[in-house]
Amino acid sequence: MKLSTGLIIALIVMGIGGGCGFLVASANIPSNLPDIQPALTSHIYDIKGNEIAVVHAEEDREPVKSEEIPENLKKAFLATEDVRFYQHIGIDYRGVMRAMWENISHREVAEGGSTITQQLARNAYLNQERTFSRKIQEMFLALKIEHRHTKEEILEMYLNQIYFGRGVYGIQAASKYYFNKNVKDLDLNECAMLAGIPKSPNHYSPLNNLEEAQKRKAVVLQQMAKYGFISSSTAQKTAKQEIHLVQSAPKEVGDAHYFIDYVKQTIIDKYGDDGLYKGGLKIYTTLDMDMQRAAEEAMKNLPEMNEANGLKQPQGALVAIEPHSGYIKAMVGGRGTDMFNRAALAERQPGSAFKPFVYAAALESGYTPDSIVADTPFTKYGWNPQNYDRSFYGSVPLSSVCAQSLNVATVRVADDIGIDKVIKYAQDMGISTLVQEGERNDVNLSTALGGITRGVTPLELTSAYCTFANKGIYAKGTPIVKVLDRDGNVLEEYPNPANSRRVLKEETAANLDSMLQGVVSHGTGTRANIGGHVAGKTGTTSDYHDAWFVGYVPDLVVGVWIGTDDNQPMGSMTGGTTPARIWAIFMRSLGR
């Protein structure tokens, strides 16, 4: 395959630049590798500076020799982390070139291209800073490690220090923690499960989220088959096998544990597992403990249904965000008896709570709240949308379409302006789950009614509504105010100007705000009417699996979702009933 002249020049430039950076960085590394920096406890604080959590690594490592590690476990890690481990010299130049191209394209360190040796060098000798100079240092150290150790020794050291969630480090400790076995006794099913955890330990721990862990296990097995470590039939068979876990000890449930877990995962995504559990970070968060306690108290008003998977149903989530800064002030991700954070991780159908994106796109396209829309029978591609009460209302102003949540008129508006425009505005306001390619996608009119492929999370939907309350400016939701390293240096700090952007014209936001006030004053959301400037939107799926109310006062946006983990219908619950009532209870408890 021939390379274009431009690409060749780009590669040469990258090579020269990388070489210069390499020499500069290497000058700062002594001939003898430094001692590994000791682990320090990290501390998490609320918005007032009060400590709310202490995070540290458990020191119960049990190192094992290479010969005790099953070949399937080694191959699982090689397939997912560094398939050319035995061919390269510590740096995989193919991976480096691919990563450099991605990083230059994004003008940031967007892709690492790190080998197992580089990961070992980073975790043992460097911080988790994502910069080009640190990357060059990592590469230099990887070459030194490869010069001093055999491949088996490097792989052994790597597997003995990697993090597996819940404070567990190393494959022996992980094997005992999850399966009550010595690592040498693991079968292929268990090896693949363990190899899938380190990518995101909080998310892929089978004791936190078994369904996601099983999906990740299947990916590991597919990679093993792809590179010839196992057959495709073995991969498919093993992917379907159940995993037998040790019964976990009861979790100590304290205030804000869903929020704290979300903060921990956010930090891990940026600074790595060791950055959080051994880096001695000081993490100042956006959490307002008074609001958090009020949110937890309000969510006690969830109704009682049958249990599913040993958990009370229905479940619920509440997210409260300051619209101007994007600060997450409170977060409840369930009834508090499990680890799965539905506020941040559950992708659920939004129903009519998605409609404001249609109205925003329409207002940007020349509609006004007084524009007349035909709420009459509509058919396209054999689809006949219906209103909730199966009636039609003739010629209706757009403001009433919003207040009464009329489905057919909303679909007509989306058809007129184009569903692509609706999707664009939703994405500009932070909705990341919309699918635009493939056999099943959201480029169709059912999206206007919230019938989308993957669903949305309560966190993203609430964050998107901040745009309406913030005069058309979207500020991405964040749980972090400031992060300091072990030496007190600021690693990041908010509010960050790059964290916000104008999405809607101020006039559009004002008109939409007026329409959403109508929902609460005389539409489907009257149970949320606490007086004053209150706006919002209800959402109900046609199968009664999900019910939403996302509403706001000028300085606070709050989203409430209720649904069942096993997708059982919730009787006739709509977004305008229990979710709106819980929203009002929460807001009144704050004195709003």
Side-chain angles (χ1 to χ4, degrees), residues 260-273:
I260 291 169
D261 284 345
Y262 180 64
V263 168
K264 289 159 71 173
Q265 187 59 53
T266 301
I267 293 296
I268 286 172
D269 290 343
K270 293 181 179 179
Y271 304 104
D273 308 309

Side-chain angles (χ1 to χ4, degrees), residues 192-402:
M193 177 66 77
L194 279 190
I197 295 173
K199 179 178 175 63
S200 182
N202 281 346
H203 186 55
Y204 290 122
S205 166
L207 294 176
N208 292 359
N209 193 343
L210 182 58
E211 181 178 355
E212 289 300 312
Q214 289 279 29
K215 291 178 183 177
R216 176 64 182 160
K217 180 192 77 174
V219 171
V220 172
L221 291 164
Q222 290 168 8
Q223 289 294 103
M224 294 180 73
K226 176 181 177 180
Y227 293 115
F229 294 133
I230 58 175
S231 67
S232 296
S233 60
T234 298
Q236 294 172 4
K237 177 182 177 181
T238 309
K240 297 177 183 177
Q241 291 178 2
E242 293 184 1
I243 201 81
H244 300 290
L245 300 167
V246 174
Q247 181 64 44
S248 60
K251 184 182 185 301
E252 183 178 344
V253 177
D255 286 346
H257 76 278
Y258 289 113
F259 178 85
I260 291 169
D261 284 345
Y262 180 64
V263 168
K264 289 159 71 173
Q265 187 59 53
T266 301
I267 293 296
I268 286 172
D269 290 343
K270 293 181 179 179
Y271 304 104
D273 308 309
D274 284 353
L276 174 66
Y277 287 97
K278 299 192 290 183
L281 301 178
K282 294 190 184 306
I283 305 157
Y284 294 88
T285 75
T286 60
L287 187 73
D288 183 315
M289 283 304 301
D290 292 332
M291 283 195 189
Q292 179 65 29
R293 295 187 184 99
E296 292 172 0
E297 191 66 28
M299 292 300 283
K300 291 179 181 178
N301 289 277
L302 288 171
E304 298 286 340
M305 292 175 57
N306 294 332
E307 289 190 355
N309 301 321
L311 298 174
K312 290 182 181 179
Q313 301 296 324
Q315 287 288 334
L318 185 152
V319 181
I321 304 177
E322 186 178 84
H324 313 298
S325 63
Y327 284 178
I328 300 170
K329 310 293 283 187
M331 175 184 285
V332 178
R335 286 183 180 261
T337 55
D338 69 338
M339 293 286 289
F340 184 61
N341 186 351
R342 294 158 189 82
L345 298 175
E347 296 176 355
R348 306 291 298 213
Q349 293 298 313
S352 295
F354 192 85
K355 288 177 181 176
F357 302 120
V358 178
Y359 307 140
L363 292 167
E364 287 281 303
S365 302
Y367 278 70
T368 72
D370 297 325
S371 295
I372 300 301
V373 184
D375 189 66
T376 55
F378 176 90
T379 301
K380 195 160 191 175
Y381 306 122
W383 182 48
N384 303 283
Q386 299 291 320
N387 289 320
Y388 179 78
D389 62 0
R390 301 283 169 170
S391 300
F392 296 97
Y393 293 87
S395 298
V396 186
L398 185 64
S399 58
S400 295
V401 172
C402 175

